[in-house]
Amino acid sequence: MRVVSGIQPTGNLHLGNYLGAIRNWVRMQDEMEEGSQCLFFLADLHAISMPHDPAELNKGTLEMAAALVACGIDPAKSVVFNQAQVPQHAELQWLLGGTARMGWLNRMTQWKDKAGKNREGQSVALFTYPVLQAADVLLYQATHVPVGEDQKQHLELARDIAQKFNNDFASEEAPVFTLPDPIVPPQAARIMSLRDGGKKMSKSDPSDMSRINLADDADEVMKKVKKAKTDPEPLPSEEKGLEDRPEALNLVTIYAALTDGSVESVLKDFGGEGFGKFKPALGEVLVETLRPISERFNGLLEDREALDAILARGASQAREIAVPTLEKTYEALGLVRG
């Protein structure tokens, strides 16, 4: 079993990023059977499909690498790297461009959403983005890819490209590419803003008080929790009592996610209590969970040499896996390599 997954290299990581995706990756890594493998990459090549600030991309890539390791992704167990250090991703994307079809790409929901009405003004990279996504997983003969609802269509495209390539240029007995299967991760907690329970926690929110950053120290965490927006009512004893109380639901959801409990179990313990008691309890759980992550995260950001070494080692491992697949692809296409 070989699992491959990528993440956008956005900086300023917050609690929503951790509980939404990274924690599931850590658990997947730790539950891998002997002989199986996880590859986690920072999708910096994907980032240039949209307008971007080069300095911010550089900073965000390093911050995300530090965050993954700080949260528990172990470079000794998993392969951690950024795409730009493995040129085989871009090479395979070009080679698969002869197999992918315009009609397939035109149907991609994310293309329609991101391009909007100004399709003519978008970059070619934004349109061909899903072909690079296909290359990302086919390059490593991935057997499984974790997907959320928004990525199922892209994995189907990767399978279509792999199937057509195998049919056109290989034999049934010796296919060039493995068709990856989806892994639907456990339902991740949906973490909302501390200032508005109707909006997702986001690094783009102008108010730093709206989010818990992975780099926040204990005092900052406690201050943000105590100032989080709530309502005057005590917590109910049952989940249905949180209907139309988005801020209360959000804080209870965070507590449940951090303690591996459920909203029901949290309300069993705190039902009837006011936020004067619940917020300090939530703050303590947050501080205890995030303290080791924050310390490791900040330490790695200050040790650029260690961070560079982690990414370089991961890229070397990734290239070693990728090269045989790329060579088979060139050979199948009849390209002379010398």
Side-chain angles (χ1 to χ4, degrees), residues 1-3 25-40 69 71-80 310 313-314 317 321:
M1 183 174 179
R2 180 175 286 151
V3 176
W25 282 11
V26 174
R27 289 174 173 172
M28 193 184 308
Q29 161 199 273
D30 293 342
E31 291 167 4
M32 275 282 159
E33 296 178 1
E34 190 174 345
S36 295
Q37 190 175 38
C38 286
L39 289 87
F40 299 121
V69 176
C71 289
I73 297 296
D74 185 351
K77 294 180 180 177
S78 300
V79 181
V80 182
I310 289 169
R313 178 172 178 266
Q317 293 173 299
I321 301 168

Side-chain angles (χ1 to χ4, degrees), residues 33-92:
E33 296 178 1
E34 190 174 345
S36 295
Q37 190 175 38
C38 286
L39 289 87
F40 299 121
F41 66 88
L42 308 170
D44 49 359
L45 292 182
H46 285 290
I48 66 172
S49 64
M50 297 288 282
H52 76 286
D53 179 336
E56 284 298 311
L57 176 56
N58 187 286
K59 179 171 175 278
T61 301
L62 294 171
E63 283 188 7
M64 181 58 85
L68 292 181
V69 176
C71 289
I73 297 296
D74 185 351
K77 294 180 180 177
S78 300
V79 181
V80 182
F81 62 100
N82 60 304
Q83 284 172 312
Q85 294 199 58
V86 186
Q88 288 81 9
H89 284 252
E91 277 189 78
L92 185 58

Side-chain angles (χ1 to χ4, degrees), residues 192-193 196-198 231 242-251:
M192 313 304 281
S193 163
D196 182 351
D231 56 51
L242 291 173
E243 290 177 9
D244 301 319
R245 298 179 65 186
E247 285 80 20
L249 175 60
N250 186 39
L251 296 187

Side-chain angles (χ1 to χ4, degrees), residues 234-241 263-264 266-272:
L235 287 172
S237 298
E238 297 180 356
E239 188 173 358
K240 64 181 180 182
V263 168
E264 290 88 347
V266 176
L267 294 178
K268 186 177 179 183
D269 293 335
F270 289 96

Side-chain angles (χ1 to χ4, degrees), residues 23-274:
R23 189 170 66 162
N24 278 338
W25 282 11
V26 174
R27 289 174 173 172
M28 193 184 308
Q29 161 199 273
D30 293 342
E31 291 167 4
M32 275 282 159
E33 296 178 1
E34 190 174 345
S36 295
Q37 190 175 38
C38 286
L39 289 87
F40 299 121
F41 66 88
L42 308 170
D44 49 359
L45 292 182
H46 285 290
I48 66 172
S49 64
M50 297 288 282
H52 76 286
D53 179 336
E56 284 298 311
L57 176 56
N58 187 286
K59 179 171 175 278
T61 301
L62 294 171
E63 283 188 7
M64 181 58 85
L68 292 181
V69 176
C71 289
I73 297 296
D74 185 351
K77 294 180 180 177
S78 300
V79 181
V80 182
F81 62 100
N82 60 304
Q83 284 172 312
Q85 294 199 58
V86 186
Q88 288 81 9
H89 284 252
E91 277 189 78
L92 185 58
Q93 181 194 19
W94 180 256
L95 298 182
L96 295 178
T99 297
R101 291 293 178 259
M102 294 280 287
W104 298 353
L105 298 180
N106 263 319
R107 287 194 291 273
M108 292 291 108
T109 303
Q110 284 196 9
W111 157 247
K112 295 175 185 175
D113 291 345
K114 289 185 178 181
K117 294 180 180 178
N118 183 26
R119 294 193 180 186
E120 297 296 318
Q122 301 302 324
S123 70
V124 172
L126 183 62
F127 184 66
T128 60
Y129 184 108
V131 185
L132 179 56
Q133 280 195 318
D136 292 335
V137 296
L138 300 180
L139 185 60
Y140 300 105
Q141 306 292 347
T143 60
H144 295 82
V145 178
V147 290
E149 281 299 322
D150 60 336
Q151 292 298 330
K152 284 183 178 177
Q153 191 183 30
H154 285 170
L155 184 61
E156 281 302 316
L157 178 74
R159 289 175 57 90
D160 288 344
I161 291 173
Q163 187 66 70
K164 179 168 172 52
F165 190 99
N166 288 340
N167 289 345
D168 292 351
F169 302 109
S171 65
E172 198 171 322
E173 299 75 33
V176 173
F177 297 116
T178 301
L179 271 61
D181 289 319
I183 295 177
V184 179
Q187 187 64 40
R190 186 173 166 82
I191 307 302
M192 313 304 281
S193 163
L194 298 180
R195 310 303 296 164
D196 182 351
K199 295 180 181 176
K200 282 185 72 174
M201 188 174 285
S202 169
K203 73 162 192 168
S204 60
D205 192 308
S207 172
D208 192 58
M209 296 298 289
S210 70
R211 59 187 167 267
I212 304 289
N213 302 304
L214 293 190
D216 286 346
D217 61 29
D219 289 341
E220 288 172 312
V221 170
M222 290 300 288
K223 181 175 78 171
K224 289 179 178 181
V225 171
K226 286 179 179 178
K227 291 195 173 185
K229 183 180 177 184
T230 50
D231 56 51
E233 299 298 318
L235 287 172
S237 298
E238 297 180 356
E239 188 173 358
K240 64 181 180 182
L242 291 173
E243 290 177 9
D244 301 319
R245 298 179 65 186
E247 285 80 20
L249 175 60
N250 186 39
L251 296 187
V252 172
T253 299
I254 292 172
Y255 193 106
L258 292 168
T259 57
D260 284 325
S262 63
V263 168
E264 290 88 347
S265 66
V266 176
L267 294 178
K268 186 177 179 183
D269 293 335
F270 289 96
E273 299 289 352

